[in-house]
Amino acid sequence: MERVPVLKIGDILLVSIQVDMEDQTALQLQEDLAERIVATGCHGVIIDITALDIVDSFVGRMLSTIASISKVLDAETVVVGMRPAVAITLVELGLSLNGIRTALNVERGMELIAAARDDDEEPDDDLDAGESERVAASP
Amino acid sequence: MERVPVLKIGDILLVSIQVDMEDQTALQLQEDLAERIVATGCHGVIIDITALDIVDSFVGRMLSTIASISKVLDAETVVVGMRPAVAITLVELGLSLNGIRTALNVERGMELIAAARDDDEEPDDDLDAGESERVAASP
């Protein structure tokens, strides 16, 4: 069974899918990714599909599942490197990648994740500010 | 024919080898990498071989060739993610990866490339300083 490597780069886990995804490979990848997110505390997952000639419903579902698992583990998932032909086929097949963010390449994916983290953190800051105001006003 | 994707991350091109390298795939990869180095002006190439169960003389030669080509194009090559078993087999087979730097993982590979760039740049600075002194002393 082939195993897709998960590479850690800073706060991001990078997965480049190059082999045909079979049931077992997909399950293994989901498991590996979930374990690495927990072990490393990374907040972003980038899945590169440059090498894929086609994204069928199985791969689409796998990407959605990975995005959902990562979300629960507090990590954003971005799919990058989709070829134009793959995008066209996806739409023609009526498949929509639900809940999956996409970016043109790895660098833009990293920017997207960084931006999403900033957005997430801002409301926390406001909340903290609100709390400290409340604390200050309480006596 | 399968094609190994080349991902650009900052000043580095990342290649994750997951498929069996055949003649044509290896040649294509060398060509793609050389073109991307020239097009992007990147100064580092990281080749991840986490997924490889064995590095035979063919793959070893391919890695050496890529390192040599990159060197000529002013880019450092670092091979990362070698499994312990692969290292043992390499030594047992009497293969030495000539001219190839290795690092444990992508992040350390990036550090190695950054350090190598710094070392390269220092003599230039000295040279510049020497030249400006000479210019200053000339009249």
Side-chain angles (χ1 to χ4, degrees):
Chain A
M1 189 197 67
E2 303 196 77
R3 199 161 173 161
V4 182
V6 179
L7 307 174
K8 180 177 178 294
I9 301 172
D11 191 36
I12 280 170
L13 296 176
L14 177 67
V15 179
S16 176
I17 297 180
Q18 297 171 28
V19 295
D20 287 335
M21 296 306 285
E22 287 160 21
D23 283 22
Q24 205 50 47
T25 321
L27 282 176
Q28 185 69 53
L29 175 59
Q30 287 169 18
E31 211 167 287
D32 287 351
L33 254 179
E35 272 172 23
R36 286 295 293 275
I37 292 173
V38 172
T40 60
C42 282
H43 288 114
V45 174
I46 292 184
I47 304 176
D48 169 67
I49 57 169
T50 318
L52 295 190
D53 284 323
I54 189 159
V55 171
D56 55 14
S57 60
F58 176 72
V59 173
R61 212 163 42 234
M62 182 199 71
L63 294 175
S64 291
T65 310
I66 287 177
S68 303
I69 294 173
S70 306
K71 192 83 202 163
V72 182
L73 295 170
D74 193 26
E76 286 287 330
T77 303
V78 179
V79 171
V80 305
M82 189 185 293
R83 297 193 194 177
V86 170
I88 293 167
T89 316
L90 267 181
V91 173
E92 281 176 354
L93 287 175
L95 293 172
S96 60
L97 298 177
N98 274 328
I100 300 178
R101 289 175 184 228
T102 51
L104 277 187
N105 54 42
V106 177
E107 287 182 325
R108 294 200 186 187
M110 286 177 161
E111 286 167 14
L112 199 63
I113 288 172
R117 296 302 302 170
D118 285 348
D119 285 351
D120 278 1
E121 277 164 20
E122 268 168 32
D124 283 358
D125 290 348
D126 292 348
L127 193 69
D128 289 350
E131 273 175 353
S132 53
E133 272 167 34
R134 244 175 289 136
V135 171
S138 60
Chain B
M1 190 196 68
E2 302 196 78
R3 198 162 177 162
V4 182
V6 179
L7 307 174
K8 178 175 180 293
I9 301 172
D11 192 36
I12 281 170
L13 295 176
L14 177 67
V15 178
S16 177
I17 297 180
Q18 297 170 29
V19 294
D20 286 335
M21 296 307 285
E22 288 159 21
D23 284 22
Q24 204 50 46
T25 321
L27 283 176
Q28 184 69 54
L29 175 59
Q30 288 168 19
E31 211 168 287
D32 287 350
L33 254 179
E35 271 172 22
R36 285 296 291 275
I37 292 173
V38 172
T40 60
C42 283
H43 288 112
V45 173
I46 293 185
I47 303 177
D48 169 67
I49 57 168
T50 317
L52 295 189
D53 285 324
I54 189 159
V55 171
D56 54 16
S57 60
F58 175 73
V59 173
R61 211 163 43 236
M62 182 197 71
L63 294 175
S64 291
T65 309
I66 287 177
S68 304
I69 295 173
S70 307
K71 193 82 200 163
V72 182
L73 295 171
D74 192 26
E76 285 287 330
T77 303
V78 180
V79 171
V80 305
M82 190 185 292
R83 297 192 194 179
V86 170
I88 293 168
T89 316
L90 266 181
V91 173
E92 281 175 353
L93 288 176
L95 293 173
S96 60
L97 298 179
N98 275 328
I100 300 179
R101 290 177 184 225
T102 52
L104 277 187
N105 54 42
V106 177
E107 286 181 327
R108 295 199 186 189
M110 286 177 161
E111 286 165 17
L112 200 63
I113 287 172
R117 295 300 304 169
D118 286 347
D119 286 350
D120 279 359
E121 276 164 21
E122 268 168 33
D124 283 355
D125 291 347
D126 292 349
L127 193 68
D128 288 348
E131 273 175 351
S132 53
E133 271 166 37
R134 244 176 291 138
V135 170
S138 61

